[in-house]
């Protein structure tokens, strides 16, 4: 099935045909089944269908084998280091990172077993997970270490230390371990360590293998010098016995997984009970690496490109001296970007980031077909897209282009029942990344204002989020990424016009203390509209508004207190926007249920003058606070909010 465009790539004579091939590593149990004569000769005609079936149904080609091993082969066990196998720490693994505590505990367990009570006692050091063995040639294999590199690496370090200390010739070649992590830097450390002829005295070194060798060497000195028998007589130490013990009496179970990388990692997460769990960021790095190498046929070096994405986040956080974001947040934005770009089912917007990518890669890598991913066309994962998301995410922290409307709208969205849609901010900045910055942020302001109005309306009239809005915003998200910006704005404006207008007015005129979120949203919007009257959109004023409304601890204050019996106020009026206002927490706790005004003792009006909120300062100018004042303020506040929601910007 060679396409014409592929044929055109071959600059040969007409009779030459270019053919695409795929190389498949057959399972060890199947190799001789398909072979005849010499090792490399495959009986293609006889087994062609079987081999094709192997490739097309890899999810069925899955098995797990487990064995008990010692390091060297014995009469009863196979030896992990006696199998002509090179063990490889794959590029997606963490570096060798055991510290002094783990190393000393490991070596101490070995010596405890070696000394025993009367004689050496066998010990079990846990489970290791390896991939299937692959042939390098007729007599040599290679095998990936999925779990266990810290222990295997420490065994290698221990052997090197024993060679140094006792000038013994272990029946073992130390060149059985290779590591591909950290862009090859880790393997340089490993090779340097294996080839060393002596140990330095300086412990301030970067090489982790050499550093742990010094720890082991020092620990052995201490253990041997301290070991005495019941008569306080020093016990002699026989290196040959110790080596025999290490290689033949230390047991571990090896699990070999005959499966693709995705299933192998899932198995690791299932059996990993003592190590560090792989989080969403770890899993994404591994699975996109598998996708790019297996499906897109990228080289193994693509992992370094993926790692640079993670390093970029760390660098930008470090430059700002605080954690602005992390890979989990970035992937959350990337998830919505992919759903919108490839017009995937709307329901996927509502599932978690880790679940989304888990199912996406399951489907793409033929591990399992998930229902909402089956019809997905072959996506084009560009690492540049993730890098762009990171850049616009950090760009938001530059207040140069952010208006007070931008800032307030986004913060109110965070407090609404639809806070998950904050990511639309970055999707717009990403879509318009080539626009002039001033234009981009003006467009963002329009988008956020309209979204804020919609979320405000639905958050105060419903006590929960409603599916109508989730569906609407899912469609808006797709339009945002695939259609002209004007189309999106027109859709939002149409949604805002007269949207539940009478219902919203009734809510604002009524008892609003029955729901905490509703009360907070209404009072915050009321306070912001007062602040906005006296502030320009310069950097300092934006910060001032942000500090007041979102970084200051506040209460919702009843101006006429519930406990104030000097004036009886109707309950609905008492708990309306006419009698409620944002007030700093410390001032509210100071005045408690004091009356608004009295001639003796503490009164609210004087304390209100200490407030930084303009709305509270206005109230402090009143000579009294009774039913008429509450009604007047309620009318004014409702008119102000309704005008903002249904008239401004529409």
């Amino acid at each position: 099935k060679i396409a014409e465009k592929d044929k055109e790539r071959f600059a040969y004579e007409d009779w030459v045909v270019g053919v695409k091939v795929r190389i498949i590593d057959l399972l060890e149990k199947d190799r001789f089944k398909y072979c005849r004569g010499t090792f490399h000769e495959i009986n293609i005609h006889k087994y062609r269908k079987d081999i094709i079936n192997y490739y097309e149904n890899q999810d069925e080609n899955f098995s797990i084998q487990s064995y008990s091993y010692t390091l060297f082969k014995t009469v009863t066990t196979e030896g992990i280091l006696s199998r002509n196998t090179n063990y490889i720490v794959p590029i997606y693994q963490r570096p060798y990172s055991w510290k002094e505590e783990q190393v000393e505990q490991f070596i101490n367990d070995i010596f405890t077993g070696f000394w025993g009570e009367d004689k050496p006692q066998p010990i079990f050091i846990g489970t290791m997970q390896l991939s299937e063995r692959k042939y390098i040639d007729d007599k040599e294999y290679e095998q990936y270490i999925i779990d266990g590199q810290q222990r295997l690496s420490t065994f290698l370090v221990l052997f090197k230390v024993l060679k140094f200390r006792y000038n013994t010739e272990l029946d073992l070649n130390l060149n059985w371990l290779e590591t591909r992590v950290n862009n090859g830097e880790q393997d340089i450390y490993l090779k340097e360590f294996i080839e060393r002829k002596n140990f330095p005295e300086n412990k301030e070194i970067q090489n982790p293998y050499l550093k742990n060798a010094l720890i082991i060497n020092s620990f052995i000195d201490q253990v041997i010098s301290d070991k005495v028998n019941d008569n306080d007589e020093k016990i002699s130490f026989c290196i040959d016995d110790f080596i025999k013990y290490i290689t033949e009496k230390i047991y571990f179970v090896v699990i070999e997984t005959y499966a693709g990388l995705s299933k192998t990692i899932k198995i690791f997460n299932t059996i990993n009970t003592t190590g560090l769990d792989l989080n969403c960021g770890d899993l994404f790095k591994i699975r996109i690496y598998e996708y790019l190498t297996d499906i897109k046929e990228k080289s193994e070096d693509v992992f370094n490109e993926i790692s640079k994405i993670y390093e970029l986040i760390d660098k930008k956080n470090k430059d700002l001296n605080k954690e602005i974001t992390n890979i989990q947040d970035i992937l959350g934005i990337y998830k919505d970007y992919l759903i919108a770009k490839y017009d995937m089912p709307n329901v996927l917007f509502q599932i978690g980031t880790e679940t989304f990518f888990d199912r996406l890669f399951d489907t793409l890598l033929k591990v399992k077909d998930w229902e909402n991913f089956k019809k997905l066309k072959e996506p084009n994962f560009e690492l540049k897209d993730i890098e762009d998301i990171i850049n616009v995410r950090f760009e938001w922290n530059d207040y140069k282009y952010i208006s007070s409307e931008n800032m307030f709208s986004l913060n109110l969205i965070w407090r609404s029942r639809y806070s998950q849609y904050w990511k639309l901010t970055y999707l717009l900045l990403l879509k318009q990344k080539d626009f002039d910055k001033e234009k981009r942020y003006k467009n963002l302001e329009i988008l956020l204002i309209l979204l804020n109005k919609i979320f405000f309306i639905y958050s105060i009239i419903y006590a929960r989020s409603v599916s109508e809005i989730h569906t609407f915003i899912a469609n808006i998200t797709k339009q945002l990424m695939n259609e002209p910006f004007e189309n999106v704005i027109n859709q939002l404006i149409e949604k805002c016009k007269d949207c539940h207008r009478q219902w919203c007015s009734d809510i604002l005129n009524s008892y609003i203390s029955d729901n905490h979120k509703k009360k907070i949203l209404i009072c915050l919007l009321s306070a912001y509209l007062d602040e906005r009257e006296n502030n320009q959109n310069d950097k300092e004023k934006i910060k001032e508004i942000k500090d007041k409304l979102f970084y200051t601890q506040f209460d919702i204050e009843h101006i006429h207190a519930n406990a104030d019996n000097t004036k009886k106020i109707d309950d609905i009026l008492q708990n309306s926007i006419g009698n409620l206002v944002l007030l700093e927490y410390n001032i509210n706790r100071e005045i408690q249920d004091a009356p608004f005004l009295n001639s003796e003792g503490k009164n609210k009006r004087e304390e209100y003058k200490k407030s930084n909120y303009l709305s509270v300062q206005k109230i402090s100018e009143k000579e009294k606070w009774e039913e008429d004042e509450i009604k007047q303020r309620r009318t004014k506040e409702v008119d102000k909010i309704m005008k903002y929601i249904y008239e401004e910007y529409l």
Side-chain angles (χ1 to χ4, degrees):
K1 299 180 180 179
I2 306 298
E4 287 299 321
K5 65 178 182 179
D6 290 322
K7 292 179 181 178
E8 292 171 3
R9 294 167 59 190
F10 293 92
Y12 299 109
E13 301 295 334
D14 291 341
W15 55 268
V16 176
V17 178
V19 181
K20 289 183 177 180
V21 299
R22 175 173 293 274
I23 298 175
I24 302 170
D25 283 310
L26 298 177
L27 296 179
E28 190 171 358
K29 65 184 178 62
D30 291 334
R31 286 193 175 105
F32 294 99
K33 171 182 175 183
Y34 296 134
C35 295
R36 68 178 183 185
T38 60
F39 175 78
H40 296 289
E41 187 178 358
I42 305 294
N43 189 336
I44 295 295
H45 298 291
K46 183 176 180 181
Y47 295 112
R48 180 176 179 275
K49 288 184 178 179
D50 288 345
I51 295 173
I52 291 174
N53 185 63
Y54 175 93
Y55 169 64
E56 292 181 344
N57 299 283
Q58 286 192 53
D59 55 326
E60 297 174 7
N61 229 330
F62 165 72
S63 64
I64 301 175
Q65 304 293 331
S66 63
Y67 311 91
S68 293
Y69 278 100
T70 49
L71 289 177
F72 282 7
K73 186 175 183 179
T74 69
V75 175
T76 58
T77 62
E78 287 292 327
I80 196 74
L81 301 180
S82 305
R83 305 195 304 162
N84 297 325
T85 300
N86 294 326
Y87 295 99
I88 298 172
V89 182
I91 194 170
Y92 52 80
Q93 286 279 21
R94 299 184 180 95
Y96 178 51
S97 56
W98 264 11
K99 304 300 182 188
E100 184 171 354
E101 180 181 356
Q102 291 103 326
V103 171
E104 287 191 352
Q105 180 64 54
F106 184 72
I107 303 301
N108 184 64
D109 288 345
I110 292 174
F111 270 99
T112 300
F114 174 65
W115 295 120
E117 296 181 3
D118 300 316
K119 60 180 181 179
Q121 299 294 319
I123 61 171
F124 173 69
I125 62 166
T127 301
M128 295 173 56
Q129 186 182 352
L130 305 174
S131 69
E132 63 178 284
R133 287 203 300 170
K134 295 183 179 180
Y135 283 95
I136 298 174
D137 55 37
D138 289 5
K139 296 181 179 179
E140 193 173 359
Y141 304 84
E142 67 178 27
Q143 197 163 20
Y144 283 172
I145 304 171
I146 309 302
D147 181 32
Q149 69 141 321
Q150 305 294 334
R151 281 165 288 172
L152 272 183
S153 298
T154 305
F155 271 125
L156 186 146
V157 173
L158 173 59
F159 284 134
K160 183 74 172 179
V161 169
L162 295 178
K163 277 195 167 189
F164 268 138
R165 287 181 64 95
Y166 299 102
N167 196 27
T168 181
E169 288 299 326
L170 291 174
D171 185 19
L172 180 70
N173 181 352
L174 295 180
N175 292 311
W176 44 265
L177 183 65
E178 176 187 344
T179 175
R180 297 178 181 172
V181 302
N182 274 11
N183 200 19
E185 179 182 298
Q186 193 80 5
D187 204 49
I188 294 173
Y189 282 144
L190 178 59
K191 296 297 188 290
E192 175 197 357
F193 170 71
I194 291 173
E195 293 169 6
R196 285 195 72 94
K197 304 301 181 185
N198 53 59
F199 285 164
E201 294 183 3
N202 179 19
K203 293 187 178 181
E204 297 299 322
I205 49 181
Q206 295 299 316
N207 189 318
Y209 304 95
L210 190 53
K211 186 179 294 186
N212 283 349
L214 297 177
I215 292 171
I216 291 173
N217 191 51
S218 175
F219 188 80
I220 292 175
D221 279 338
Q222 178 184 339
V223 170
I224 293 176
S225 63
D226 291 346
K227 189 62 180 175
V228 296
N229 60 22
D230 293 339
N231 298 321
D232 288 335
E233 297 171 338
K234 185 173 177 60
I235 296 178
S236 62
F237 176 72
C238 176
I239 181 60
D240 291 334
D241 290 344
F242 186 60
I243 292 172
K244 186 175 180 63
Y245 175 78
I246 294 172
T247 56
E248 298 182 8
K249 294 297 183 181
I250 296 178
Y251 292 84
F252 42 92
V253 171
V254 171
I255 294 176
E256 290 185 352
T257 52
Y258 295 79
L261 179 57
S262 291
K263 280 193 175 179
T264 299
I265 295 302
K266 286 189 175 185
I267 295 166
F268 165 73
N269 262 353
T270 301
I271 66 175
N272 178 36
T273 57
T274 58
L276 185 64
D277 289 340
L278 295 176
N279 58 36
C280 180
D282 295 326
L283 291 170
F284 178 82
K285 181 186 286 189
I286 294 170
R287 303 202 76 184
I288 195 170
Y289 164 75
E290 182 184 16
Y291 172 78
L292 292 174
T293 52
D294 285 7
I295 306 299
K296 293 299 184 179
E297 300 177 350
K298 301 281 187 181
S299 73
E300 193 177 74
D301 291 340
V302 76
F303 189 80
N304 298 322
E305 296 177 36
I306 299 168
S307 296
K308 286 178 182 177
I309 296 294
Y310 288 64
E311 292 165 7
L312 179 62
I313 299 173
D314 293 338
K315 181 182 183 302
K316 287 182 174 289
N317 279 329
K318 186 176 181 181
D319 289 344
L320 294 170
N321 201 29
K322 60 180 177 179
E323 184 174 316
I324 298 298
T325 190
N326 53 48
I327 188 62
Q328 180 83 18
D329 287 344
I330 297 300
L331 291 178
I333 301 170
Y334 188 48
K335 179 198 82 168
D336 286 3
Y337 168 80
L338 291 175
I339 296 170
K341 181 177 179 179
Y342 294 105
D343 193 23
M344 299 166 73
N346 287 346
V347 68
L348 295 179
F349 283 113
Q350 301 301 318
I351 70 172
T353 302
E354 184 170 344
T355 300
F356 171 83
F357 283 110
D358 196 35
R359 294 180 179 181
L360 172 66
F361 286 118
D362 271 358
T363 304
L364 294 175
L365 294 164
K366 303 184 186 305
V367 175
K368 178 179 179 179
D369 282 337
W370 289 93
E371 184 61 35
N372 290 309
F373 296 88
K374 287 180 180 179
K375 297 180 180 179
L376 176 64
K377 297 178 181 178
E378 186 69 19
N380 184 23
F381 289 123
E382 294 287 347
L383 296 178
K384 183 66 167 59
D385 290 339
I386 306 177
E387 183 179 341
D388 288 340
I389 290 172
I390 294 169
N391 288 330
V392 299
R393 177 67 182 88
F394 279 92
E395 181 186 296
W396 175 259
N397 292 277
D398 180 2
Y399 291 118
K400 183 177 180 180
Y401 296 95
I402 299 175
S403 68
S404 60
E405 291 286 355
N406 255 332
M407 177 277 304
F408 174 75
S409 296
L410 184 59
N411 276 277
L412 209 64
I413 288 170
W414 282 336
R415 286 185 176 269
S416 77
R417 302 187 194 281
Y418 306 93
S419 57
Q420 66 266 46
Y421 297 117
W422 63 272
K423 290 177 283 188
L424 288 170
T425 300
Y426 307 112
L427 292 180
L428 174 64
L429 294 177
L430 179 67
K431 177 67 183 300
Q432 300 184 354
K433 65 180 184 295
D434 297 326
F435 286 22
D436 173 76
K437 268 193 175 182
E438 192 168 344
K439 181 179 180 181
R440 291 167 68 207
Y441 279 91
K442 187 60 183 176
N443 287 343
L444 180 61
E445 178 179 306
I446 296 169
L447 176 70
L448 288 178
I449 287 171
L450 293 172
L451 288 173
N452 182 32
K453 291 173 186 290
I454 293 169
F455 295 154
F456 176 85
I457 293 167
Y458 278 86
S459 292
I460 68 170
I461 66 177
Y462 292 103
R464 58 177 179 81
S465 63
V466 293
S467 59
E468 173 195 343
I469 292 301
H470 292 306
T471 301
F472 175 75
I473 296 300
N475 293 330
I476 285 293
T477 304
K478 291 180 178 180
Q479 285 183 307
L480 187 65
M481 296 308 300
N482 299 296
E483 297 183 19
F485 181 65
E486 292 75 16
N487 292 2
V488 176
I489 297 307
N490 289 336
Q491 284 273 5
L492 292 172
I493 289 175
E494 286 302 312
K495 183 69 175 177
C496 284
K497 284 181 179 178
D498 295 322
C499 175
H500 297 303
R501 188 182 188 117
Q502 187 58 52
W503 196 351
C504 185
S505 177
D506 292 344
I507 292 288
L508 292 172
N509 277 289
S510 65
Y511 189 115
I512 67 171
S513 293
D514 57 329
N515 183 280
H516 181 70
K517 187 173 286 291
K518 175 171 69 176
K519 178 174 67 175
I520 290 287
L521 289 173
I522 293 172
C523 291
L524 266 172
L525 181 54
S526 168
Y528 170 69
L529 294 176
D530 281 336
E531 297 291 335
R532 191 181 66 166
E533 288 180 8
N534 294 344
N535 285 295
Q536 301 299 316
N537 285 335
D538 63 82
K539 184 175 179 179
E540 289 304 314
K541 295 301 182 182
I542 291 172
K543 184 178 185 305
E544 181 181 323
I545 293 176
K546 190 172 185 177
D547 288 343
K548 282 184 183 181
L549 298 181
F550 300 104
Y551 290 160
T552 298
Q553 189 176 9
F554 61 76
D555 280 335
I556 303 299
E557 157 78 345
H558 282 80
I559 305 167
H560 177 272
N562 283 313
D564 183 3
N565 294 318
T566 60
K567 302 288 182 182
K568 185 64 177 173
I569 303 294
D570 174 74
D571 190 46
I572 293 178
L573 195 60
Q574 171 82 2
N575 288 281
S576 71
I577 185 59
N579 193 51
L580 297 172
V581 68
L582 243 63
L583 182 63
E584 290 91 339
Y585 175 86
N586 60 324
I587 298 177
N588 188 49
R589 289 298 180 267
E590 184 69 23
I591 59 179
Q592 296 183 357
D593 291 327
F596 180 76
L597 187 64
N598 63 3
S599 56
E600 298 179 1
K602 190 169 293 187
N603 65 69
K604 288 186 175 182
R605 192 177 78 163
E606 290 305 310
E607 295 299 317
Y608 283 173
K609 293 176 181 178
K610 301 175 184 178
S611 174
N612 288 319
Y613 293 120
L614 295 179
S615 50
V616 178
Q617 292 172 17
K618 289 179 182 180
I619 295 168
S620 72
E621 297 171 358
K622 300 289 184 181
E623 294 298 325
K624 60 177 182 172
W625 195 260
E626 297 178 0
E627 188 169 306
D628 286 345
E629 284 72 27
I630 297 174
K631 287 180 178 179
Q632 290 171 11
R633 183 171 184 267
R634 179 176 66 178
T635 299
K636 183 179 178 181
E637 292 301 311
V638 171
D639 288 346
K640 179 175 69 176
I641 292 173
M642 290 293 289
K643 181 181 178 181
Y644 173 79
I645 295 294
Y646 292 103
E647 296 179 25
E648 284 190 28
Y649 305 101
L650 297 184

